Amino acid sequence: MALPPLSDLLDGLKVVSLPLNTRFRGVQHREIAYIEGPCGVGEFAPFLEYEPDEASRWLAAALEAAYVGWPEPVRDVVAVNATVPAVPAADVPRVLARFDGCSTAKVKVAEKGQALDDDVARVAAVRDGLGPEGRVRLDANGGWGVDDAVAAITRLAAFDLEYVEQPVMPVDDLARVRRSLAASGVDVRIAADESIRKADDPLRVVELHAADLAIVKVAPLGGVTGALRIAEQTGLPMVVSSALDSSPGMAAGLALAAALPGLEHACGLGTINLLDGDVVERSLVPVGGNLTVAQIDDARALDPERLERYRASAEREAWWRERVAASYEVLAAH
């Protein structure tokens, strides 16, 4: 698409700082900028450490939402999973209680400063909370080395895992972990997240037989259309996940999940429950473990009172305006 003038983006930019009810990725607040265009609102929220080159993909996704729109859905309902941060096992029931009707849970493991015993206790508590019929999936965010990953997954496999997401970071190591588990008779599938959304060549995951599934997130892949293209090129089963979005960003994830030709697994689109605030009146939260396409319009209706309540400081707003400009410069160069 043709880029709109930068001045248009900056003139209407709104920046908020939303509190989290559980520390996640080392932060207690989620800073987000919103861009409004003829097709609605787009969310721009790359994590604070991302440089302009990486953040520019998130800006492309926000511009798609605001100026282009999304493909037509092929389904009306999308099942979602609960998300359990790296909390103590005793806190697991409190976290699961926030996710109405979810029978699948993604559990964070391999947290810095924690031991494998902490992961085992947390996963055991999730398995107890969901019961034998629930699905438990793990997300290590590349926090292990190859040997540690194989040892940890071998031990955690006792909890009947659906899959383990990104146990190690390099795609070559991901392939090694998958081969080692298979050779040891450990029947746990491997999912790729960062190996796709942060890679210069996402298709290496397929070429190296490094994963059984792919985790796709709209913003890091430059938008719904870009994520659909990755899904088609890899041919892997897809799980759509959020990037700790507020409701407008979550709406983009729901639009992707609703547009995928096939969707076999619950999606990670329930993380609104980790926030203690939102910018719309009717947040995009699951009901009975599901989201519906009908919720998208409400999820993009910015509420002026909430925008003011959670408005970022003038200093942070200026920082985000500079960030939008830097990311825009990268897009314009391409």
Side-chain angles (χ1 to χ4, degrees), residues 213-236:
L213 306 94
I215 312 299
V216 287
K217 299 176 181 178
V218 170
L221 294 175
V224 173
T225 301
L228 285 171
R229 188 178 304 117
I230 292 293
E232 180 181 1
Q233 290 173 339
T234 64
L236 294 171

Side-chain angles (χ1 to χ4, degrees), residues 39-237:
C39 294
V41 62
E43 179 167 314
F44 176 63
F47 293 106
L48 302 183
E49 68 271 19
Y50 289 0
E51 296 295 331
D53 197 47
E54 186 170 2
S56 68
R57 302 179 194 173
W58 297 61
L59 182 59
L63 295 179
E64 178 194 55
Y67 287 87
V68 179
W70 298 317
E72 289 296 315
V74 298
R75 63 184 56 81
D76 297 322
V77 177
V78 173
V80 302
N81 64 254
T83 299
V84 180
V87 297
D91 291 345
V92 165
R94 171 182 61 82
V95 174
L96 289 178
R98 298 195 191 108
F99 296 89
D100 175 54
C102 292
S103 59
T104 299
K106 179 169 81 170
V107 188
K108 293 291 184 178
V109 295
E111 184 84 353
K112 288 183 179 179
Q114 295 188 5
L116 180 56
D117 285 345
D118 298 310
D119 294 335
V120 170
R122 185 181 313 113
V123 175
V126 171
R127 170 54 69 199
D128 288 344
L130 293 182
E133 301 302 318
R135 295 187 176 186
V136 178
R137 54 182 65 161
L138 310 184
D139 183 6
N141 287 119
W144 288 316
V146 171
D147 292 342
D148 287 341
V150 172
I153 295 170
T154 299
R155 185 173 172 188
L156 291 163
F159 298 105
D160 187 20
L161 305 178
E162 184 182 22
Y163 60 77
V164 177
E165 179 180 332
Q166 204 69 47
V168 293
M169 195 59 74
V171 65
D172 304 76
D173 286 352
L174 200 66
R176 289 175 60 197
V177 169
R178 187 167 179 259
R179 289 195 301 268
S180 295
L181 292 171
S184 300
V186 180
D187 186 18
V188 175
R189 290 183 293 178
I190 299 299
D193 176 10
E194 286 89 344
S195 289
I196 289 177
R197 65 180 170 89
K198 285 179 172 285
D200 293 330
D201 181 8
L203 298 186
R204 285 201 73 222
V205 167
V206 178
E207 294 167 0
L208 295 177
H209 304 285
D212 303 281
L213 306 94
I215 312 299
V216 287
K217 299 176 181 178
V218 170
L221 294 175
V224 173
T225 301
L228 285 171
R229 188 178 304 117
I230 292 293
E232 180 181 1
Q233 290 173 339
T234 64
L236 294 171

Side-chain angles (χ1 to χ4, degrees), residues 18-21 246 272 274-279 283 306 309-310:
L18 300 177
L20 299 173
N21 53 48
S246 67
I272 289 290
L274 299 177
L275 300 176
D276 256 344
D278 202 357
V279 292
S283 293
R306 287 173 171 81
R309 183 191 309 170
Y310 298 113

Side-chain angles (χ1 to χ4, degrees), residues 313-326:
S313 68
E315 179 183 3
R316 296 307 299 164
E317 186 171 319
W319 187 87
W320 277 93
R321 291 173 67 84
E322 292 177 2
R323 195 176 201 200
V324 168

